[in-house]
Amino acid sequence: MKIKKLTALLLAASLLVSASGCAADKSWAAKDDSLTVPIGSYIYDLYAAYGSASSLAADKTKPVLDQKIENKDAKTWIRSKALTNLKSLFVVDRKMKAMKLSLTSAEQAAAKKNLDSAWQQYQSSFEGYGVAKPSFGIAYSDYAAKYEKVFFATYGKGGPKAVPDGEMKGFFEKNYSDFSYLAFPLYKTDDSGNFSAMFSADEKKKLEAEVNGYLAKVKGGSMTLQQAADAHNKAGGAEVSVQAATSNLVANTEGYPDDMVKLIRGMKTGEAKAAEISDAYFYLLAVKNDIVKKTAEQMKTEDGRKKLLSDYKGKEFSDQIAKEADSVTGVTLNEKALDSYSPSMFAAEDSQKQS
Protein backbone atom coordinates (compact mmCIF):
# COMPACT_ATOMS: atom_id res chain seq x y z
CA MET A 1 0.00 0.00 0.00
CA LYS A 2 2.78 2.38 0.92
CA ILE A 3 4.58 1.54 -2.31
CA LYS A 4 1.46 2.41 -4.34
CA LYS A 5 1.11 5.75 -2.50
CA LEU A 6 4.78 6.56 -3.04
CA THR A 7 4.50 5.69 -6.72
CA ALA A 8 1.46 7.94 -7.07
CA LEU A 9 3.26 10.83 -5.34
CA LEU A 10 6.32 10.44 -7.56
CA LEU A 11 4.14 10.36 -10.66
CA ALA A 12 2.30 13.50 -9.58
CA ALA A 13 5.60 15.24 -8.89
CA SER A 14 6.99 14.27 -12.29
CA LEU A 15 3.86 15.58 -14.01
CA LEU A 16 4.15 18.85 -12.11
CA VAL A 17 7.78 19.27 -13.16
CA SER A 18 6.91 18.37 -16.75
CA ALA A 19 4.04 20.87 -16.85
CA SER A 20 6.10 23.67 -15.39
CA GLY A 21 8.93 22.91 -17.82
CA CYS A 22 6.63 23.09 -20.86
CA ALA A 23 4.81 26.29 -19.90
CA ALA A 24 6.40 29.18 -21.77
CA ASP A 25 6.87 32.53 -20.08
CA LYS A 26 5.20 34.78 -22.62
CA SER A 27 5.94 38.05 -20.88
CA TRP A 28 9.10 38.71 -22.89
CA ALA A 29 10.44 38.04 -26.39
CA ALA A 30 14.16 38.84 -26.15
CA LYS A 31 16.61 40.50 -23.80
CA ASP A 32 20.20 41.49 -23.22
CA ASP A 33 21.95 43.06 -20.25
CA SER A 34 20.13 46.39 -20.57
CA LEU A 35 16.95 45.85 -22.58
CA THR A 36 14.03 43.45 -22.26
CA VAL A 37 11.56 43.47 -25.15
CA PRO A 38 8.02 42.33 -24.28
CA ILE A 39 6.31 39.67 -26.35
CA GLY A 40 3.79 42.22 -27.60
CA SER A 41 6.58 43.97 -29.50
CA TYR A 42 7.37 40.74 -31.33
CA ILE A 43 3.71 40.18 -32.16
CA TYR A 44 3.67 43.64 -33.73
CA ASP A 45 6.86 42.80 -35.68
CA LEU A 46 5.13 39.63 -36.90
CA TYR A 47 2.08 41.70 -37.89
CA ALA A 48 4.25 44.23 -39.75
CA ALA A 49 6.16 41.43 -41.52
CA TYR A 50 2.84 39.89 -42.59
CA GLY A 51 1.88 43.26 -44.07
CA SER A 52 5.18 43.47 -45.96
CA ALA A 53 4.64 39.98 -47.33
CA SER A 54 1.15 40.98 -48.48
CA SER A 55 2.55 43.91 -50.45
CA LEU A 56 5.24 41.72 -52.05
CA ALA A 57 2.96 38.79 -52.90
CA ALA A 58 2.72 38.27 -56.65
CA ASP A 59 -0.92 37.17 -56.72
CA LYS A 60 -3.21 39.51 -54.80
CA THR A 61 -6.17 37.14 -55.26
CA LYS A 62 -4.58 34.27 -53.33
CA PRO A 63 -3.91 34.01 -49.58
CA VAL A 64 -0.49 35.38 -48.69
CA LEU A 65 0.49 32.26 -46.76
CA ASP A 66 -0.09 30.10 -49.84
CA GLN A 67 2.57 31.97 -51.81
CA LYS A 68 6.33 32.44 -51.94
CA ILE A 69 7.96 35.72 -50.95
CA GLU A 70 11.45 36.30 -52.36
CA ASN A 71 11.70 32.57 -53.14
CA LYS A 72 10.75 31.49 -49.60
CA ASP A 73 7.42 30.16 -48.44
CA ALA A 74 5.53 33.09 -46.95
CA LYS A 75 5.36 31.78 -43.38
CA THR A 76 9.14 31.25 -43.24
CA TRP A 77 9.77 34.68 -44.80
CA ILE A 78 7.45 36.42 -42.33
CA ARG A 79 8.99 34.73 -39.29
CA SER A 80 12.49 35.60 -40.50
CA LYS A 81 11.55 39.22 -41.17
CA ALA A 82 9.89 39.57 -37.76
CA LEU A 83 12.92 38.10 -36.00
CA THR A 84 15.25 40.49 -37.83
CA ASN A 85 13.05 43.42 -36.79
CA LEU A 86 13.04 42.19 -33.20
CA LYS A 87 16.83 41.96 -33.11
CA SER A 88 17.10 45.37 -34.77
CA LEU A 89 15.70 46.89 -31.57
CA PHE A 90 18.89 45.80 -29.81
CA VAL A 91 21.16 46.93 -32.64
CA VAL A 92 19.72 50.44 -32.66
CA ASP A 93 19.59 50.62 -28.86
CA ARG A 94 23.27 49.73 -28.66
CA LYS A 95 24.17 52.26 -31.36
CA MET A 96 22.38 54.96 -29.39
CA LYS A 97 24.57 54.15 -26.39
CA ALA A 98 27.80 53.76 -28.38
CA MET A 99 27.26 57.10 -30.14
CA LYS A 100 26.16 58.73 -26.87
CA LEU A 101 22.84 59.78 -28.36
CA SER A 102 19.57 60.49 -26.62
CA LEU A 103 16.20 61.73 -27.78
CA THR A 104 15.47 65.38 -27.08
CA SER A 105 12.25 66.33 -25.31
CA ALA A 106 10.85 67.44 -28.67
CA GLU A 107 11.74 64.09 -30.26
CA GLN A 108 10.19 62.22 -27.35
CA ALA A 109 7.02 64.29 -27.69
CA ALA A 110 6.91 63.60 -31.43
CA ALA A 111 7.32 59.87 -30.79
CA LYS A 112 4.50 59.94 -28.26
CA LYS A 113 2.26 61.81 -30.68
CA ASN A 114 3.09 59.25 -33.36
CA LEU A 115 2.25 56.42 -30.95
CA ASP A 116 -1.03 57.96 -29.78
CA SER A 117 -2.17 58.55 -33.34
CA ALA A 118 -1.36 55.01 -34.49
CA TRP A 119 -2.80 53.43 -31.35
CA GLN A 120 -6.07 55.27 -31.82
CA GLN A 121 -6.36 53.65 -35.23
CA TYR A 122 -5.12 50.14 -34.43
CA GLN A 123 -5.92 49.65 -30.74
CA SER A 124 -8.80 47.24 -31.29
CA SER A 125 -6.83 44.99 -33.65
CA PHE A 126 -3.62 44.98 -31.65
CA GLU A 127 -5.26 44.33 -28.31
CA GLY A 128 -7.05 41.41 -29.94
CA TYR A 129 -3.66 39.94 -30.80
CA GLY A 130 -2.32 40.54 -27.29
CA VAL A 131 -0.34 43.72 -27.98
CA ALA A 132 -0.45 46.40 -25.29
CA LYS A 133 0.22 50.06 -26.08
CA PRO A 134 3.66 50.20 -24.33
CA SER A 135 4.81 47.10 -26.24
CA PHE A 136 3.60 48.61 -29.50
CA GLY A 137 5.42 51.83 -28.66
CA ILE A 138 8.75 50.04 -28.15
CA ALA A 139 8.62 48.37 -31.56
CA TYR A 140 6.95 51.20 -33.45
CA SER A 141 7.32 54.82 -32.42
CA ASP A 142 10.27 54.56 -30.00
CA TYR A 143 12.21 52.43 -32.45
CA ALA A 144 11.45 54.79 -35.35
CA ALA A 145 12.65 57.80 -33.35
CA LYS A 146 15.89 56.08 -32.30
CA TYR A 147 16.46 54.68 -35.79
CA GLU A 148 16.14 58.15 -37.30
CA LYS A 149 18.41 59.63 -34.64
CA VAL A 150 21.15 57.09 -35.37
CA PHE A 151 20.72 57.45 -39.13
CA PHE A 152 21.23 61.22 -39.20
CA ALA A 153 24.04 61.01 -36.62
CA THR A 154 25.75 58.52 -38.94
CA TYR A 155 25.31 60.22 -42.32
CA GLY A 156 24.76 63.83 -41.29
CA LYS A 157 27.40 66.50 -40.76
CA GLY A 158 30.09 65.32 -38.36
CA GLY A 159 28.94 61.70 -38.53
CA PRO A 160 31.25 58.73 -39.19
CA LYS A 161 29.79 58.38 -42.70
CA ALA A 162 28.94 62.03 -43.33
CA VAL A 163 27.93 62.70 -46.93
CA PRO A 164 29.67 65.72 -48.53
CA ASP A 165 27.43 68.41 -50.04
CA GLY A 166 28.90 67.79 -53.48
CA GLU A 167 27.94 64.14 -53.35
CA MET A 168 24.42 64.99 -52.20
CA LYS A 169 24.13 67.53 -55.01
CA GLY A 170 25.26 64.96 -57.57
CA PHE A 171 22.73 62.40 -56.35
CA PHE A 172 19.92 64.93 -56.47
CA GLU A 173 20.61 66.18 -59.97
CA LYS A 174 21.15 62.67 -61.36
CA ASN A 175 18.08 61.03 -59.86
CA TYR A 176 15.50 63.79 -59.44
CA SER A 177 13.35 65.50 -62.07
CA ASP A 178 11.51 68.79 -61.75
CA PHE A 179 8.40 68.98 -63.89
CA SER A 180 4.98 70.56 -64.27
CA TYR A 181 2.02 68.88 -65.91
CA LEU A 182 -1.66 68.71 -66.71
CA ALA A 183 -3.50 65.38 -66.57
CA PHE A 184 -6.62 65.28 -68.76
CA PRO A 185 -8.90 62.35 -67.81
CA LEU A 186 -9.82 59.85 -70.52
CA TYR A 187 -13.06 59.00 -68.75
CA LYS A 188 -16.30 60.62 -67.63
CA THR A 189 -17.57 61.21 -64.13
CA ASP A 190 -21.03 61.74 -62.69
CA ASP A 191 -22.23 64.78 -60.72
CA SER A 192 -20.59 63.38 -57.59
CA GLY A 193 -17.22 63.07 -59.29
CA ASN A 194 -17.35 59.27 -59.49
CA PHE A 195 -16.28 57.31 -62.56
CA SER A 196 -19.15 56.69 -64.98
CA ALA A 197 -17.65 55.63 -68.35
CA MET A 198 -14.48 55.58 -70.45
CA PHE A 199 -14.20 57.97 -73.38
CA SER A 200 -15.35 56.67 -76.74
CA ALA A 201 -12.78 56.52 -79.55
CA ASP A 202 -14.12 59.79 -80.99
CA GLU A 203 -14.05 61.56 -77.60
CA LYS A 204 -10.52 60.37 -77.03
CA LYS A 205 -9.43 61.58 -80.46
CA LYS A 206 -11.02 64.98 -79.86
CA LEU A 207 -9.22 65.42 -76.51
CA GLU A 208 -5.93 64.33 -78.04
CA ALA A 209 -6.27 66.99 -80.76
CA GLU A 210 -7.12 69.63 -78.14
CA VAL A 211 -4.10 68.79 -75.97
CA ASN A 212 -1.74 68.65 -78.93
CA GLY A 213 -2.99 72.12 -79.87
CA TYR A 214 -1.99 73.35 -76.42
CA LEU A 215 1.35 71.56 -76.79
CA ALA A 216 2.16 73.43 -80.00
CA LYS A 217 1.46 76.75 -78.31
CA VAL A 218 3.47 75.84 -75.18
CA LYS A 219 6.41 74.87 -77.37
CA GLY A 220 6.09 78.10 -79.29
CA GLY A 221 6.04 80.16 -76.12
CA SER A 222 2.58 81.66 -76.70
CA MET A 223 0.89 79.64 -73.93
CA THR A 224 1.76 78.46 -70.46
CA LEU A 225 0.44 75.33 -68.79
CA GLN A 226 -1.79 77.50 -66.63
CA GLN A 227 -3.26 79.17 -69.70
CA ALA A 228 -3.80 75.72 -71.24
CA ALA A 229 -5.66 74.63 -68.13
CA ASP A 230 -7.77 77.80 -68.16
CA ALA A 231 -8.67 77.32 -71.82
CA HIS A 232 -9.66 73.69 -71.29
CA ASN A 233 -11.71 74.43 -68.19
CA LYS A 234 -13.45 77.36 -69.87
CA ALA A 235 -14.41 75.10 -72.78
CA GLY A 236 -16.30 72.88 -70.37
CA GLY A 237 -13.97 69.90 -70.18
CA ALA A 238 -13.25 67.95 -66.99
CA GLU A 239 -11.49 70.49 -64.79
CA VAL A 240 -7.70 70.23 -64.67
CA SER A 241 -5.05 72.16 -62.76
CA VAL A 242 -1.30 72.55 -63.06
CA GLN A 243 0.65 70.11 -60.90
CA ALA A 244 4.28 70.78 -60.02
CA ALA A 245 6.65 68.13 -58.70
CA THR A 246 10.28 67.56 -57.82
CA SER A 247 10.65 63.83 -57.47
CA ASN A 248 13.14 60.98 -57.64
CA LEU A 249 11.84 59.33 -60.80
CA VAL A 250 14.68 56.79 -60.84
CA ALA A 251 13.38 55.14 -57.68
CA ASN A 252 9.85 56.51 -58.27
CA THR A 253 8.97 56.40 -54.60
CA GLU A 254 5.98 58.66 -55.32
CA GLY A 255 4.40 55.94 -57.45
CA TYR A 256 3.88 57.82 -60.70
CA PRO A 257 2.51 55.73 -63.60
CA ASP A 258 5.26 53.87 -65.49
CA ASP A 259 4.38 55.49 -68.82
CA MET A 260 4.60 58.93 -67.25
CA VAL A 261 7.97 58.23 -65.62
CA LYS A 262 9.40 56.90 -68.88
CA LEU A 263 8.19 59.97 -70.79
CA ILE A 264 9.49 62.60 -68.36
CA ARG A 265 12.84 60.91 -67.73
CA GLY A 266 13.40 60.88 -71.49
CA MET A 267 12.69 64.60 -71.87
CA LYS A 268 15.33 67.31 -72.04
CA THR A 269 15.33 70.37 -69.79
CA GLY A 270 12.83 72.92 -71.08
CA GLU A 271 11.12 70.39 -73.36
CA ALA A 272 7.34 69.97 -73.50
CA LYS A 273 5.57 66.76 -74.51
CA ALA A 274 2.09 65.29 -74.62
CA ALA A 275 1.16 61.62 -74.56
CA GLU A 276 -1.49 59.17 -73.47
CA ILE A 277 -0.68 57.58 -70.10
CA SER A 278 -2.50 54.34 -70.75
CA ASP A 279 -1.78 52.73 -67.39
CA ALA A 280 -3.48 55.65 -65.59
CA TYR A 281 -6.22 56.63 -68.08
CA PHE A 282 -5.30 60.24 -68.72
CA TYR A 283 -3.66 62.36 -71.41
CA LEU A 284 -0.56 64.17 -70.19
CA LEU A 285 0.84 67.54 -71.12
CA ALA A 286 4.17 68.04 -69.34
CA VAL A 287 7.09 70.46 -69.22
CA LYS A 288 10.44 69.41 -67.78
CA ASN A 289 12.15 72.13 -65.76
CA ASP A 290 15.82 72.66 -64.92
CA ILE A 291 16.61 70.44 -61.91
CA VAL A 292 19.83 72.36 -61.22
CA LYS A 293 17.76 75.39 -60.25
CA LYS A 294 16.12 73.27 -57.51
CA THR A 295 19.36 72.03 -55.93
CA ALA A 296 20.03 75.00 -53.69
CA GLU A 297 16.38 75.12 -52.61
CA GLN A 298 16.44 71.42 -51.69
CA MET A 299 19.62 71.69 -49.63
CA LYS A 300 19.16 75.03 -47.92
CA THR A 301 16.75 73.76 -45.25
CA GLU A 302 17.31 71.04 -42.67
CA ASP A 303 14.14 69.25 -43.70
CA GLY A 304 15.15 69.35 -47.36
CA ARG A 305 18.59 67.95 -46.61
CA LYS A 306 17.16 65.23 -44.38
CA LYS A 307 14.67 64.17 -47.03
CA LEU A 308 17.43 63.97 -49.64
CA LEU A 309 19.79 62.15 -47.28
CA SER A 310 17.10 59.62 -46.41
CA ASP A 311 16.48 59.00 -50.10
CA TYR A 312 20.19 58.65 -50.83
CA LYS A 313 21.35 56.53 -47.91
CA GLY A 314 18.14 55.09 -46.51
CA LYS A 315 18.40 51.65 -48.10
CA GLU A 316 22.11 51.35 -47.33
CA PHE A 317 21.41 52.02 -43.66
CA SER A 318 18.39 49.72 -43.53
CA ASP A 319 20.39 46.89 -45.08
CA GLN A 320 23.23 47.45 -42.60
CA ILE A 321 20.91 47.37 -39.59
CA ALA A 322 19.31 44.14 -40.86
CA LYS A 323 22.73 42.59 -41.46
CA GLU A 324 23.90 43.47 -37.95
CA ALA A 325 20.60 42.23 -36.49
CA ASP A 326 20.95 38.83 -38.14
CA SER A 327 24.38 38.35 -36.57
CA VAL A 328 23.84 40.15 -33.27
CA THR A 329 25.31 38.50 -30.17
CA GLY A 330 24.50 38.77 -26.48
CA VAL A 331 20.75 38.67 -27.05
CA THR A 332 18.69 35.90 -25.47
CA LEU A 333 15.61 34.86 -27.41
CA ASN A 334 12.56 33.41 -25.69
CA GLU A 335 12.25 30.67 -28.31
CA LYS A 336 9.20 28.93 -26.80
CA ALA A 337 7.27 32.18 -26.64
CA LEU A 338 8.28 33.22 -30.16
CA ASP A 339 7.36 29.83 -31.60
CA SER A 340 3.91 29.98 -30.02
CA TYR A 341 2.86 32.77 -32.41
CA SER A 342 2.24 32.08 -36.08
CA PRO A 343 1.70 34.40 -39.07
CA SER A 344 -1.58 32.56 -39.62
CA MET A 345 -3.07 34.50 -36.70
CA PHE A 346 -3.38 37.50 -39.05
CA ALA A 347 -4.89 35.62 -42.00
CA ALA A 348 -8.53 36.18 -40.98
CA GLU A 349 -8.13 39.97 -40.79
CA ASP A 350 -6.28 39.97 -44.12
CA SER A 351 -9.03 38.01 -45.86
CA GLN A 352 -11.63 40.48 -44.51
CA LYS A 353 -9.69 43.39 -46.05
CA GLN A 354 -9.57 41.61 -49.41
CA SER A 355 -13.30 40.75 -49.45
Side-chain angles (χ1 to χ4, degrees), residues 6 101 109-110 133 202 225 252 272 290 299 304 347:
L6 180 59
L101 300 172
K133 186 177 181 180
D202 287 343
L225 285 184
N252 193 22
D290 187 358
M299 297 181 63

Side-chain angles (χ1 to χ4, degrees), residues 35 41 44 89 92-93 96 103 107-116 133-150:
L35 176 66
S41 298
Y44 166 71
L89 295 173
V92 171
D93 186 68
M96 287 283 289
L103 298 178
E107 290 166 341
Q108 290 174 4
K112 183 180 182 304
K113 184 178 180 180
N114 188 18
L115 170 60
D116 290 342
K133 186 177 181 180
S135 299
F136 174 53
I138 290 172
Y140 177 69
S141 53
D142 290 355
Y143 176 70
K146 292 177 181 177
Y147 182 98
E148 184 178 287
K149 188 84 174 184
V150 173

Side-chain angles (χ1 to χ4, degrees), residues 305-323:
R305 290 178 63 87
K306 281 187 172 182
K307 183 178 183 298
L308 182 56
L309 194 56
S310 296
D311 192 10
Y312 184 26
K313 292 295 184 179
K315 187 177 185 305
E316 177 182 297
F317 185 68
S318 175
D319 289 347
Q320 182 61 36
I321 294 296
K323 183 179 179 181

Side-chain angles (χ1 to χ4, degrees), residues 35-321:
L35 176 66
T36 297
V37 178
I39 194 65
S41 298
Y42 173 73
I43 297 172
Y44 166 71
D45 285 334
L46 202 63
Y47 177 92
Y50 188 101
S52 296
S54 296
S55 66
L56 293 172
D59 191 338
K60 304 303 180 185
T61 66
K62 293 182 179 179
V64 176
L65 299 181
D66 290 347
Q67 301 185 59
K68 286 188 177 294
I69 308 297
E70 297 180 340
N71 298 318
K72 294 182 180 178
D73 71 90
K75 187 174 288 188
T76 299
W77 187 93
I78 291 168
R79 284 188 177 280
S80 176
K81 178 72 171 175
L83 188 58
T84 296
N85 291 346
L86 174 64
K87 291 179 179 179
S88 295
L89 295 173
F90 295 91
V91 173
V92 171
D93 186 68
R94 290 175 181 181
K95 286 183 180 293
M96 287 283 289
K97 292 182 174 65
M99 299 176 78
K100 297 181 180 179
L101 300 172
S102 60
L103 298 178
T104 65
S105 57
E107 290 166 341
Q108 290 174 4
K112 183 180 182 304
K113 184 178 180 180
N114 188 18
L115 170 60
D116 290 342
S117 176
W119 187 250
Q120 185 176 17
Q121 184 177 357
Y122 294 106
Q123 178 178 359
S124 179
S125 293
F126 286 162
E127 286 184 337
Y129 296 130
V131 180
K133 186 177 181 180
S135 299
F136 174 53
I138 290 172
Y140 177 69
S141 53
D142 290 355
Y143 176 70
K146 292 177 181 177
Y147 182 98
E148 184 178 287
K149 188 84 174 184
V150 173
F151 173 81
F152 289 117
T154 300
Y155 293 101
K157 290 183 177 180
K161 295 183 178 181
V163 181
D165 283 356
E167 189 176 334
M168 289 250 285
K169 178 178 180 293
F171 172 80
F172 179 73
E173 294 176 0
K174 181 180 179 180
N175 291 270
Y176 279 67
S177 295
D178 185 66
F179 53 100
S180 303
Y181 65 95
L182 294 170
F184 300 85
L186 291 169
Y187 54 86
K188 302 173 187 177
T189 57
D190 59 24
D191 293 339
S192 300
N194 299 316
F195 171 86
S196 61
M198 295 299 299
F199 274 11
S200 66
D202 287 343
E203 289 170 327
K204 185 176 174 181
K205 188 175 181 180
K206 182 180 178 182
L207 176 64
E208 182 179 346
E210 178 190 351
V211 176
N212 283 328
Y214 297 147
L215 173 63
K217 291 180 180 180
V218 170
K219 282 184 171 181
S222 62
M223 176 177 274
T224 64
L225 285 184
Q226 184 59 59
Q227 290 170 332
D230 292 341
H232 174 77
N233 296 339
K234 186 176 181 180
E239 190 161 322
V240 297
S241 59
V242 178
Q243 305 296 313
T246 303
S247 178
N248 182 347
L249 292 187
V250 174
N252 193 22
T253 53
E254 302 295 331
Y256 288 106
D258 292 341
D259 289 350
M260 180 175 174
V261 169
K262 185 177 180 180
L263 179 77
I264 293 174
R265 286 192 64 194
M267 292 167 62
K268 297 177 181 178
T269 298
E271 188 175 8
K273 279 190 176 182
E276 178 183 348
I277 307 301
S278 58
D279 52 352
Y281 310 110
F282 63 81
Y283 210 85
L284 180 77
L285 174 57
V287 174
K288 190 169 185 178
N289 306 314
D290 187 358
I291 190 62
V292 175
K293 293 181 178 179
K294 287 285 184 175
T295 307
E297 179 182 330
Q298 181 71 31
M299 297 181 63
K300 73 180 179 182
T301 66
E302 184 178 0
D303 285 346
R305 290 178 63 87
K306 281 187 172 182
K307 183 178 183 298
L308 182 56
L309 194 56
S310 296
D311 192 10
Y312 184 26
K313 292 295 184 179
K315 187 177 185 305
E316 177 182 297
F317 185 68
S318 175
D319 289 347
Q320 182 61 36
I321 294 296

